[in-house]
Amino acid sequence: MPDSKPIENTDKDESEELLDIEGILLEADYTTINEVVKIRLTIKGSDGKAYEAIDEEFRPYFFFVPKDDAALERVAAMPKDPYSQISEIINEPRSIFGKPLDSYRVYVKNPTDVPKTAESLRVIGDTLEYDIPFSKRYLIDKEIPVLTKAVFKLKKSKGRLAIIGFEKKEDPGTGLELNTMCFDIETYSPLGIPRPERDPVIMLSYSYSSNGKRGNGVITFKEINKPFVECVEDEKALYESFAKKVLELDIDIISGYNSANFDFNYLIERAKALKIDFNISRFDGETRIEKHGLVDKVKIGGRVHIDMYLVVKFVAVVGAAESILKLNSYTLKNVYDAISKDEKLTVEKTKGQKWKDINELWDAGPEGLELLADYNLSDSESLRKVYETFVPIMIELSRTTGNSISDVSVSTTGQLVEYMLMRYAHEFNELIPNKPTEREIKARLMDPIEGAYVKTPDPGIYENMAIFDFRGLYPSIIISHNIDPSSLCRDCTDYYESPTGDKFSKTKKAIMPTILDLLVKQRAEVKKLYKKDKGSIFLGSRSQALKITSNSFYGYLGYARSRWYSRECASSVTAYGRQYIHNTIEQAEAAGFKVIYGDTDSIVMLLGNKSKEEASAFVAEFNKKLPGSMELELEDFYKRGIFVGKKTEKGTITGAKKKYALITETGYIKIRGFELVRRDWSKIARETQRKVLETILKEGSAEKAIQIVKDVIKELREGNVPLSELSISTQLRKSIDGYDSKSPELAAAKDAVSSGIKTKDEVEHAVISYVITKHGDSISDKAKLLELAKDYDPDYYINNQVVPATMKILKELNYSEDEIKGLGKQKKLGA
C-alpha cells in the first residue's frame, strides 16, 4: 500500500549521514520548502535535544470512486494535463461500512489542492477522505507512536534532517522529561475590556521546568523591588525578553489559562499594533491562532501549546477529577483552590485592601506594583500546579488515541473516538466516511434514540445496602455482540440479534469491538499495576485515559455529527442495556434481595437478612450466564443511604433519578444530585445540606441534623452570617439588554452598571455573584453584587435557600418546615 509506512533507504552518498535518534514524537505539522508543502516532525531526543525532521516523500491524497468507466477514463487522463493538480492515480480497492468499493487513491501536488480537486470530481463520482488535515493524515498512515519512546531513523542531507523510518521500542517507557513553561500576562485596560490596538501588556510572568531545573519570574517595564522581577525598557522589550526566555530554556510545551482565547490572541494582536515581530517558534513558521472545531488552537512551530482552561473543562465534563466537579466556575483561582491546600492570591477589593483592580495597582506606586507582581507570579505558579495535576491525563490520552497532544488538548471525547476510528479504518483497509451533511444531521436529531432504563426508588432512609454495576456496560455490550456499522447484516446465518431486531455478524471482524476489546484489556492490566503502586501518576492517568476513551464510543455512535453514526447500532446498545438491567433486577429479587434503585448500568439492593457473602455468591453465579466480556461487579457495601423524592405533574411523590447520598462501612460518602454541587445555591445552603447529610449518614441522628438547621436559622436571623457565604452565582448568557424578564442576577448587574461601579463589558456574559439584601420590594430589587452588598435579608435565605435545601432530606424523616423553623412540632418520628 503506497505511503502506508516509512520505507528505510540505505542508499548513501558522501554528502549524507544516517542517524538513529532515540526519542519521542512531540508534534507533527507541515512547512513549505521550495514552494512545496512537506510534513515536519518535532522529535525530542533522549539526549535532550529537539530535532526537526522532514518527510520528503509523503504526498497529499484523497479517494475517488468513479460512477462508471467513462468517469475513470476522464480522471486517468488528468495527471498528463500540465494544468491539473493531480499527480498520480492508483487503484486501491477498499471497503466502507463493510461494503467493498472499487476505489482509487488520487495524489495531488499540495494539501490545499485536496478539497478543491475532490470538489471538482464529485460530478463524476464519490470522493472520500478529502477533509483530513495533512499532518493528521500523516500520523494515521505512518502509525508513528506519539509521546512514546521509539528510534527514529534520519538522514542528514543538504543541511536538513529527513525521516526515513522508525522502530518501536520493546519497552517504550513513560516518555521523556519535557521542558515546560506556564505563563500569564497582565494588561492595562482603563475602560475595563482590554483593547490590543491601544492597551499595553504591562507584565508577563512565567514558571518553568527545564533540563531538571525549575524557576520563575516576572517581566515588566516599571521598577519593582522584588528579586524575581526583570525590569526592561518598554513593552517591545518585554516581548523580546519573553521570546528569549522560551528560546534559552528550550521549551517544548508552553501553557496558559484561557490563553488561546486571550493571552496569545492578545499578544499577537498587540504585536501587530506595535509593528513588532512576535514569534516564539522553535523552527520556521509563525506563532498563530487557528480553529479546531469550536475552539481556538495556538500553533507554534516546533513547540506545543496547551490551554489548561480547555483541559480543566474537559476533565470536569468526563468526570475524571472529583475535586473540580462541584465548582461554580472554572476560573484559575477556583480550580487551584480546589486541588491545592493553599488559596490563590487575588487582587479583589475586600476589607483591608485599598486596591480595586490591576489598573489601580499599576498606577499606585511601589506598594501597588509589588502586589501586582506577586499576583501576576501567583497566576503562573498556580497554573503550574494545575498543569502538573491534569496534563498527565492529556499525555495518556495522546498515547492511547495516537493523536498529538496539541490536538488532544483541544478535542472533545467524540473527536478522540473519531481519530481512533480513522487510525483503525486505515489498518482494516476501510475508507473513512465523510462528515454528514446538515440535512443528514437534522434528520438524525429528529429521530432520537431511546435511552437507559431507570428504576426510581421509594423516597426514604435505607440501611445495609450493596451497589453492583456492570463493568463498562456499553463498551462490553459492543464487544460481546460485535456491534459496529460494518457488522450489521440481513442475510447472515451466524449472528447476534439485539432486542431491536437488528442483526450483527458473529464472524465479521469489526473496528469498534476490536478497539474497545483492546482498551478494556489494557485498562484491566493497568488497574492491576495501579493497585500495587497507588502513587504512580502515570498509571492513574493511563487508567483514566483508557476509561474516558472506551466510555465515549457509544456516545459517538449516536452523535448526530458522527462520521460513523448508526441508529441501528446505538439503539441496539441501549436496548441491550435495558434488557440486562431488567434481568439483573429480576434475578436479584428472585434470589431474595430487594432492589430499590436501578440506573443505566447499576443496581442498589437491600441485603435484608442476607450476608455479604450471599450477595457476592449471587453475582458470581449471575456472571456465569453473561456473554463475552460482560461482568457485574461490586462497587461497595453501604451501611446507610438517603433517597429523596420529587413531585410528579399529578402532584404525587416519586423517587428522584440520580439523587441520593450513601455512606460506606469505611466512612466514604457518595453524593449524587444534591444542591451542594450547584452554583445557583448559596454556600450556606450547600454547606448546611452537606452537614445534615453527613450527620444522618454517619451518626443516624435525625435530632442532631435538625439542630444543625435550627442553629443556622438562628445565626441568619441574628445577622451573624458573612456575606461571602450568602452569595449566589449565575452566569449571564446574553447582553444585559437582551433579557425579557427580570432576574436577581440581571438586576444586580444592571444596578452595578447604572451606579458606575461596573461597565457593561465587565458584567455581560460574566458569572454574577450577588446577595439578596433587605432593601427593595421584590427579590430582584433586593439583589446586589457581592462587593456592593451591605446587609442581607434573613427571611429570604431561610425560606428560599437553607430550608428548601435541607427539606429535601429531612422530609424523608417526616419533619415539616414549621418544625425546622421552630414554629411547630414533628409530624411523625422519623427513622
Side-chain angles (χ1 to χ4, degrees):
M1 188 185 303
D3 281 347
S4 62
K5 294 277 187 181
I7 299 173
E8 188 168 343
N9 180 3
T10 56
D11 293 339
K12 180 181 178 183
D13 61 36
E14 293 180 359
S15 65
E16 294 179 348
E17 179 185 357
L18 298 181
L19 303 172
D20 283 355
I21 302 296
E22 180 189 270
I24 62 168
L25 177 61
L26 182 65
E27 180 66 293
D29 59 2
Y30 56 85
T31 188
T32 301
I33 300 174
N34 298 326
E35 298 184 356
V36 178
V37 177
K38 299 289 186 182
I39 287 292
R40 174 175 63 187
L41 305 181
T42 301
I43 297 166
K44 185 62 182 284
S46 298
D47 57 6
K49 297 178 181 178
Y51 296 86
E52 179 186 35
I54 306 298
D55 193 311
E56 299 280 3
E57 307 298 327
F58 192 74
R59 297 177 291 167
Y61 68 88
F62 63 94
F63 282 93
F64 174 64
V65 181
K67 284 183 179 179
D68 49 36
D69 291 342
L72 180 57
E73 290 174 7
R74 180 175 166 185
V75 173
M78 287 183 178
K80 301 172 186 177
D81 183 345
Y83 298 103
S84 173
Q85 300 305 314
I86 296 176
S87 58
E88 187 179 8
I89 298 174
I90 297 174
N91 184 214
E92 195 173 304
R94 289 200 173 192
S95 299
I96 188 164
F97 295 133
K99 299 179 178 66
L101 290 176
D102 188 24
S103 53
Y104 291 79
R105 189 190 286 230
V106 180
Y107 287 101
V108 294
K109 295 174 182 176
N110 268 307
T112 52
D113 299 327
V114 171
K116 293 185 292 186
T117 308
E119 176 68 27
S120 69
L121 295 184
R122 282 189 200 127
V123 294
I124 57 173
D126 294 326
T127 55
L128 298 105
E129 303 196 9
Y130 54 81
D131 58 354
I132 300 170
F134 192 37
S135 57
K136 192 168 286 191
R137 170 88 277 170
Y138 183 83
L139 288 178
I140 291 169
D141 286 15
K142 299 299 185 180
E143 301 173 21
I144 301 178
V146 182
L147 295 180
T148 305
K149 282 186 183 178
V151 176
F152 296 90
K153 297 183 176 297
L154 308 178
K155 177 178 70 176
K156 188 174 183 180
S157 176
K158 298 177 182 179
R160 287 199 299 266
L161 290 175
I163 183 164
I164 56 176
F166 73 92
E167 290 179 0
K168 297 178 181 178
K169 290 182 69 69
E170 287 186 16
D171 179 15
T174 59
L176 296 176
E177 186 69 32
L178 297 173
N179 297 337
T180 62
M181 175 184 280
C182 298
F183 85 105
D184 179 72
I185 68 170
E186 306 298 343
T187 62
Y188 185 80
S189 46
L191 295 186
I193 298 298
R195 304 159 298 173
E197 69 278 6
R198 297 191 62 176
D199 298 332
V201 176
I202 56 174
M203 200 171 281
L204 185 150
S205 66
Y206 57 88
S207 173
Y208 70 84
S209 174
S210 174
N211 297 316
K213 296 181 180 179
R214 287 177 175 259
N216 59 33
V218 168
I219 309 168
T220 186
F221 46 88
K222 277 191 178 182
E223 290 289 345
I224 301 175
N225 187 24
K226 289 279 185 177
F228 55 81
V229 174
E230 174 191 357
C231 182
V232 296
E233 185 178 350
D234 53 22
E235 188 181 1
K236 179 182 177 182
L238 182 151
Y239 272 81
E240 291 171 348
S241 179
F242 177 45
K244 185 179 178 182
K245 282 275 186 284
V246 173
L247 178 66
E248 290 176 345
L249 295 168
D250 196 25
I251 297 301
D252 300 305
I253 299 178
I254 188 164
S255 179
Y257 203 81
N258 197 29
S259 46
N261 184 50
F262 179 70
D263 298 74
F264 265 117
N265 203 354
Y266 199 90
L267 285 169
I268 291 168
E269 292 303 312
R270 180 64 183 155
K272 291 177 183 176
L274 294 171
K275 297 181 180 179
I276 61 175
D277 178 32
F278 171 62
N279 190 5
I280 57 171
S281 293
R282 177 182 258 152
F283 308 132
D284 286 343
E286 61 182 351
T287 299
R288 68 182 190 275
I289 309 287
E290 61 181 35
K291 280 293 180 185
H292 186 279
L294 298 176
V295 300
D296 287 338
K297 177 182 177 183
V298 180
K299 289 290 291 182
I300 308 170
R303 308 188 201 278
V304 171
H305 168 256
I306 297 179
D307 190 331
M308 288 309 301
Y309 174 70
L310 297 177
V311 170
V312 165
K313 285 185 69 177
F314 175 90
V315 170
V317 167
V318 299
E322 191 77 23
S323 61
I324 62 172
L325 287 177
K326 302 171 185 179
L327 293 182
N328 294 337
S329 64
Y330 298 110
T331 63
L332 178 58
K333 172 178 168 50
N334 285 352
V335 174
Y336 177 79
D337 291 349
I339 64 173
S340 174
K341 295 178 182 178
D342 303 320
E343 186 173 341
K344 185 189 171 302
L345 178 67
T346 66
V347 191
E348 296 169 353
K349 189 174 184 180
T350 57
K351 290 180 181 178
Q353 278 188 334
K354 57 184 177 182
W355 316 114
K356 177 186 174 183
D357 57 25
I358 288 166
N359 302 321
E360 286 191 6
L361 290 170
W362 181 250
D363 292 332
E367 185 183 355
L369 287 170
E370 288 181 15
L371 178 57
L372 181 56
D374 287 336
Y375 167 71
N376 186 217
L377 186 64
S378 78
D379 273 351
S380 291
E381 286 293 297
S382 299
L383 179 57
R384 165 68 56 186
K385 173 71 174 178
V386 175
Y387 176 93
E388 291 175 350
T389 301
F390 297 119
V391 159
I393 295 177
M394 295 295 108
I395 290 173
E396 292 309 319
L397 281 170
S398 180
R399 289 170 171 158
T400 297
T401 62
N403 202 356
S404 66
I405 192 169
S406 61
D407 273 354
V408 166
S409 65
V410 292
S411 291
T412 62
T413 55
Q415 289 167 333
L416 296 178
V417 169
E418 183 171 278
Y419 184 80
M420 287 200 78
L421 288 169
M422 287 179 172
R423 276 181 55 209
Y424 278 82
H426 175 77
E427 290 185 21
F428 273 64
N429 209 34
E430 287 256 345
L431 288 169
I432 297 168
N434 290 333
K435 292 179 180 178
T437 64
E438 288 301 318
R439 179 179 291 182
E440 288 172 322
I441 293 168
K442 187 175 181 180
R444 293 171 180 180
L445 291 171
M446 293 291 288
D447 191 15
I449 294 163
E450 185 180 352
Y453 166 73
V454 177
K455 174 184 171 62
T456 56
D458 290 330
I461 312 295
Y462 296 90
E463 296 189 351
N464 198 18
M465 295 166 287
I467 294 183
F468 291 94
D469 56 19
F470 283 96
R471 179 169 58 86
L473 178 63
Y474 286 171
S476 65
I477 286 173
I478 292 171
I479 296 167
S480 300
H481 301 88
N482 203 34
I483 296 176
D484 186 271
S486 68
S487 61
L488 267 168
C489 58
R490 292 183 179 179
D491 302 324
C492 49
T493 55
D494 193 12
Y495 57 84
Y496 299 101
E497 184 171 353
S498 79
T500 62
D502 294 301
K503 299 176 182 178
F504 299 91
S505 169
K506 287 185 177 182
T507 57
K508 166 76 175 178
K509 187 176 181 182
I511 299 175
M512 287 195 187
T514 299
I515 299 174
L516 282 170
D517 188 48
L518 178 66
L519 294 175
V520 168
K521 287 177 179 175
Q522 285 179 347
R523 185 163 188 251
E525 289 301 313
V526 169
K527 285 176 75 174
K528 288 179 185 177
L529 296 172
Y530 190 46
K531 283 183 179 179
K532 299 176 183 177
D533 185 10
K534 280 289 187 182
S536 171
I537 295 175
F538 160 67
L539 290 172
S541 299
R542 179 81 176 149
S543 178
Q544 285 279 17
L546 291 165
K547 179 182 178 181
I548 290 166
T549 310
S550 60
N551 285 347
S552 301
F553 272 78
Y554 161 71
Y556 185 74
L557 266 175
Y559 176 49
R561 296 184 180 274
S562 165
R563 292 177 188 262
W564 273 270
Y565 174 87
S566 171
R567 179 176 173 75
E568 296 91 340
C569 291
S571 59
S572 291
V573 172
T574 54
Y576 269 124
R578 293 190 297 273
Q579 182 184 82
Y580 283 116
I581 283 293
H582 276 296
N583 289 345
T584 307
I585 292 171
E586 290 172 3
Q587 293 188 41
E589 295 192 333
F593 300 96
K594 179 176 177 56
V595 177
I596 58 172
Y597 182 61
D599 183 9
T600 309
D601 61 354
S602 62
I603 62 167
V604 182
M605 63 187 196
L606 301 179
L607 297 184
N609 57 5
K610 290 187 173 290
S611 66
K612 297 176 188 175
E613 291 73 20
E614 286 176 297
S616 298
F618 158 72
V619 171
E621 191 62 31
F622 180 82
N623 281 333
K624 292 178 182 178
K625 304 169 189 175
L626 292 175
S629 63
M630 295 193 68
E631 181 182 356
L632 187 69
E633 55 187 5
L634 172 71
E635 179 193 287
D636 215 332
F637 291 105
Y638 295 85
K639 66 177 183 180
R640 191 173 293 110
I642 304 170
F643 290 84
V644 303
K646 67 173 183 177
K647 283 187 178 181
T648 65
E649 292 181 359
K650 297 180 179 179
T652 59
I653 301 294
T654 185
K657 179 182 176 182
K658 292 184 180 179
K659 201 161 191 177
Y660 56 85
L662 306 163
I663 186 169
T664 67
E665 296 178 330
T666 58
Y668 170 75
I669 293 177
K670 177 178 181 177
I671 298 174
R672 293 292 181 269
F674 283 102
E675 275 67 27
L676 56 91
V677 300
R678 285 173 47 183
R679 70 181 177 200
D680 53 350
W681 287 77
S682 62
K683 181 179 179 181
I684 194 166
R686 298 195 307 269
E687 284 298 301
T688 306
Q689 185 189 69
R690 181 183 60 79
K691 290 176 182 177
V692 166
L693 278 172
E694 289 182 353
T695 299
I696 293 173
L697 292 173
K698 289 180 178 179
E699 303 179 35
S701 172
E703 291 78 11
K704 190 170 181 179
I706 287 290
Q707 192 57 50
I708 288 171
V709 182
K710 287 182 176 180
D711 289 345
V712 170
I713 290 174
K714 182 174 180 289
E715 290 293 301
L716 281 166
R717 284 178 174 152
E718 292 176 356
N720 297 329
V721 179
L723 293 175
S724 59
E725 293 187 22
L726 301 170
S727 70
I728 301 165
S729 298
T730 305
Q731 184 171 12
L732 293 178
R733 301 291 180 183
K734 299 184 289 186
S735 161
I736 60 174
D737 298 322
Y739 288 86
D740 296 327
S741 56
K742 190 177 179 182
S743 62
E745 63 271 16
L746 179 61
K750 284 188 171 183
D751 173 71
V753 171
S754 64
S755 61
I757 304 298
K758 295 280 186 180
T759 66
K760 284 182 68 173
D761 287 335
E762 286 180 295
V763 299
E764 289 187 341
H765 305 287
V767 174
I768 302 298
S769 296
Y770 62 92
V771 174
I772 304 301
T773 66
K774 294 179 179 179
H775 312 288
D777 296 327
S778 66
I779 298 298
S780 292
D781 291 337
K782 294 180 178 182
K784 301 290 181 186
L785 291 188
L786 172 60
E787 57 263 46
L788 302 180
K790 304 297 183 186
D791 55 36
Y792 65 86
D793 180 353
D795 289 336
Y796 171 82
Y797 286 96
I798 292 168
N799 298 323
N800 298 82
Q801 292 279 314
V802 172
V803 170
T806 53
M807 274 302 298
K808 294 173 185 297
I809 305 158
L810 296 173
K811 69 182 179 183
E812 311 308 338
L813 300 174
N814 293 314
Y815 281 90
S816 69
E817 284 192 24
D818 286 347
E819 205 285 327
I820 293 172
K821 295 175 185 177
L823 303 175
K825 293 187 176 180
Q826 182 184 356
K827 291 189 294 184
K828 178 183 175 183
L829 186 62

